[in-house]
């Protein structure tokens, strides 16, 4: 498995897809809003996910569900920082899910090793410079605009090619701002300006995104397109918490496709699923596709 850099040896020696557990410190996320809004509960939830097999934890203070309004920067910091500190103090590898350079900087200062920016640096042009200076791993997700308008931006000629081309442009912009390519992970941004039908071709052609030469992260967990897939006879989408088995199935497919990391709410099933994918690849003579080393 080719890992981005820099990350601790405990992760870069793993020759399989990593599992990132989601810690949403929000009152309104689509699948678990409000459950972990209290910092102590959020930290306890993160520790539980580590015990269940999470390799790293992604702490976010701003919901990105379709239609969600922005959170004030001070409020986002107030939500995220105590949880990052608590989890880093407990020895976790922590990622911060934010579009704001100030929040990313404070989280990195508190020990976060990954900045996960769902806008890929588009929401705030100061983000790439901050990431270049901080030297941390940066997840650049495919994004076309804020959550309150993103559904209207879902117009593609060919969704796989368009997402690849737009991510390639982001990579160029990041490198131009001083970010080292080894720092960057790309992400198709499932569900972000992508209605149900557009998510499946992206999952089925992860090799096209991998062709950008960077590790790939996939966030399919509990998303709407899985709810629609699992709709009952009445046509009603399955609710978010009934999407975990399907999420784990996607994690196994991602692992078999050589994806670097899956971002999930229910860690236990995906921790098993990525091991299934690794065994499947190994039996094909393709263990981790490239040795358990980082690029540094
Ligand atoms: N999805 C959500 C939030 N952050 N980050 C990355 N890199 N990729 C994703 O697909 C992604 C993300 C939305 O899900 P949530 O509200 O459950 O956190």
């Amino acid at each position: 498995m080719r890992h981005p850099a820099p990350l601790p040896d405990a992760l870069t020696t793993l020759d399989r897809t990593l599992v990132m557990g989601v810690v949403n410190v929000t009152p309104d996320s689509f699948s678990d809003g409000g459950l972990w809004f209290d910092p102590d509960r959020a930290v306890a939830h993160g520790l539980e996910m580590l015990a269940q097999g999470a390799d790293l934890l992604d702490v976010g203070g701003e919901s990105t569900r379709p239609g969600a309004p922005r959170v004030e920067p001070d409020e986002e910091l107030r939500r995220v920082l105590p949880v990052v500190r608590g989890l880093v103090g407990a020895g976790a590898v922590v990622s911060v899910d934010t579009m704001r350079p100030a929040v990313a900087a404070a989280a990195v200062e508190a020990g976060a090793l990954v900045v996960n920016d769902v806008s890929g640096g588009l929401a705030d042009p100061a983000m790439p410079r901050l990431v270049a200076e901080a030297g941390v791993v940066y997840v650049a997700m495919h994004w076309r605009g804020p959550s309150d308008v993103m559904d209207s931006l879902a117009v593609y000629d060919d969704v796989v090619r368009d997402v690849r081309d737009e991510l390639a442009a982001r990579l160029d912009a990041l490198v131009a701002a001083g970010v080292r390519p080894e720092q960057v992970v790309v992400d198709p941004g499932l569900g972000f300006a992508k209605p149900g039908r557009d998510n499946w071709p992206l999952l089925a052609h992860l090799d096209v995104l991998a062709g950008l030469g960077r590790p790939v992260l996939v966030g399919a967990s509990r998303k709407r397109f899985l709810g629609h897939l699992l709709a009952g006879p009445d046509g009603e989408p399955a609710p978010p918490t009934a999407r975990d088995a399907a999420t784990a199935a996607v994690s196994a497919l991602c692992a078999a496709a050589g994806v670097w990391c899956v971002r999930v709410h229910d860690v236990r099933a995906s921790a098993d699923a990525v091991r299934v994918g690794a065994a499947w690849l190994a039996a094909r003579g393709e263990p981790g596709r490239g040795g358990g080393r980082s690029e540094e």
Side-chain angles (χ1 to χ4, degrees):
M1 176 59 64
R2 194 163 55 138
H3 295 276
L7 282 176
D9 289 350
L11 295 191
T12 59
T13 49
L14 295 174
D15 196 14
R16 60 163 171 78
T17 300
L18 304 187
V19 176
M20 173 187 267
V22 179
V23 185
N24 281 328
V25 196
T26 57
D28 58 344
S29 286
F30 76 95
S31 73
D32 57 359
L35 284 179
W36 326 112
F37 196 40
D38 169 72
D40 290 340
R41 287 185 66 181
V43 171
H45 178 55
L47 297 181
E48 192 187 333
M49 287 194 285
L50 289 180
Q52 291 173 348
D55 300 298
L56 64 168
L57 299 170
D58 189 37
V59 180
E62 180 172 39
S63 170
T64 48
R65 75 183 149 70
R70 296 294 312 261
V71 169
E72 290 302 315
D74 286 353
E75 172 63 9
E76 190 185 345
L77 258 181
R78 199 188 59 75
R79 293 178 183 180
V80 158
L81 218 45
V83 180
V84 171
R85 286 201 185 106
L87 291 172
V88 168
V93 176
V94 172
S95 158
V96 62
D97 185 346
T98 186
M99 296 186 266
R100 291 197 168 102
V103 175
V108 168
E109 174 80 26
L113 300 182
V114 178
V115 173
N116 172 25
D117 178 359
V118 298
S119 82
L122 286 170
D124 189 323
M127 185 65 108
R129 223 170 31 253
L130 178 275
V131 171
E133 280 161 18
V136 293
V137 169
Y138 182 62
V139 181
M141 200 192 79
H142 177 262
W143 187 83
R144 282 197 164 172
S147 296
D148 55 351
V149 297
M150 68 181 176
D151 282 349
S152 66
L153 304 172
V155 182
Y156 300 93
D157 285 335
D158 172 328
V159 69
V160 177
R161 200 189 54 214
D162 292 355
V163 167
R164 182 204 54 202
D165 290 351
E166 289 167 36
L167 280 174
R170 294 314 307 148
L171 263 174
D172 289 346
L174 291 168
V175 170
V179 178
R180 289 177 300 123
E182 309 89 83
Q183 290 173 252
V184 184
V185 173
V186 293
D187 179 336
L190 301 180
F192 285 80
K194 289 156 204 101
R197 65 177 180 278
D198 287 331
N199 294 285
W200 291 109
L202 287 165
L203 277 173
H205 295 287
L206 289 166
D207 54 316
V208 173
L209 288 194
L212 292 171
R214 304 304 322 136
V216 176
L217 184 146
V218 170
S221 187
R222 297 184 177 172
K223 286 194 173 159
R224 276 183 299 178
F225 73 102
L226 295 178
H228 287 295
L229 179 75
L230 304 175
D234 56 0
E236 277 299 302
T241 50
R243 303 172 190 169
D244 283 334
T247 299
V250 173
S251 293
L253 291 168
C254 285
V259 160
W260 171 67
C261 183
V262 289
R263 179 184 180 278
V264 297
H265 302 86
D266 173 35
V267 162
R268 199 186 298 274
S270 281
D272 288 352
V274 297
R275 285 164 176 80
V276 170
W280 189 87
L281 279 180
R284 286 168 58 99
E286 306 174 58
R289 299 192 178 176
R293 293 193 320 277
S294 81
E295 294 179 295
E296 272 194 343

